[in-house]
Amino acid sequence: MNRAEGYVSILVFGSSGVGKSSTIKHIIDLDDDAFSSINSESTAIREYVVKSKSHPCFGIIDSPGVLSSDGMKQDACNLASMKEFYQLHPVVAHCKPNIILVLINAGDKRFDGPNSTFVKSIKCLRKLNLVDSK
């Protein structure tokens, strides 16, 4: 897997409820109506494409949450959806994202160790082959 040319792909990844959609809303200044609930409810992958005459266009991908209380079966479905997204995308098919924002809950004090949310998130990304192995 390589990186797409002339297109910047930004994946926003993390556990359910950490604010992935809200972060995207603030990055690209989306209308408040696009996010009508304070509850975590993104279950599908959404891509917001930002076009510019002076810069390459970029897509910010809002991924469904993983490592949530919905269990491993839902995580497997969400990860399979992300894998399929990157296999079938018309521009970035079989490419890795240029940037991955891994969001974690600010109150999560478990940043290291095999059971930390951050380490588990990186392991999920490696299983999807979306990060370099070195």
Side-chain angles (χ1 to χ4, degrees), residues 105-126:
N105 188 318
D108 190 346
K109 304 216 183 304
R110 299 169 293 146
F111 288 100
D112 59 353
N115 291 321
S116 73
T117 302
F118 181 73
V119 170
K120 286 179 180 179
S121 294
I122 299 301
K123 286 179 179 179
C124 288
L125 291 167
R126 289 188 83 188

Side-chain angles (χ1 to χ4, degrees), residues 47-116:
E47 180 178 29
Y48 301 92
V49 178
V50 179
K51 297 180 180 180
S52 169
K53 292 180 181 179
S54 59
H55 302 290
C57 68
F58 65 92
I60 300 181
I61 295 106
D62 187 1
S63 64
V66 294
L67 308 171
S68 70
S69 60
D70 292 334
M72 291 174 45
K73 185 175 181 180
Q74 186 62 49
D75 283 351
C77 291
N78 293 346
L79 292 171
S81 293
M82 282 184 260
K83 186 173 187 171
E84 181 179 28
F85 176 86
Y86 275 97
Q87 289 174 338
L88 302 177
H89 191 281
V91 178
V92 298
H94 304 291
C95 291
K96 293 180 181 179
N98 299 83
I99 300 168
I100 301 174
L101 300 176
V102 178
L103 302 184
I104 57 173
N105 188 318
D108 190 346
K109 304 216 183 304
R110 299 169 293 146
F111 288 100
D112 59 353
N115 291 321
S116 73

Side-chain angles (χ1 to χ4, degrees), residues 21 24-35 46 48:
S21 298
I24 291 170
K25 173 188 170 213
H26 290 291
I27 289 172
I28 59 176
D29 198 24
L30 282 174
D31 186 337
D32 282 339
D33 292 338
F35 298 94
R46 288 180 88 171
Y48 301 92

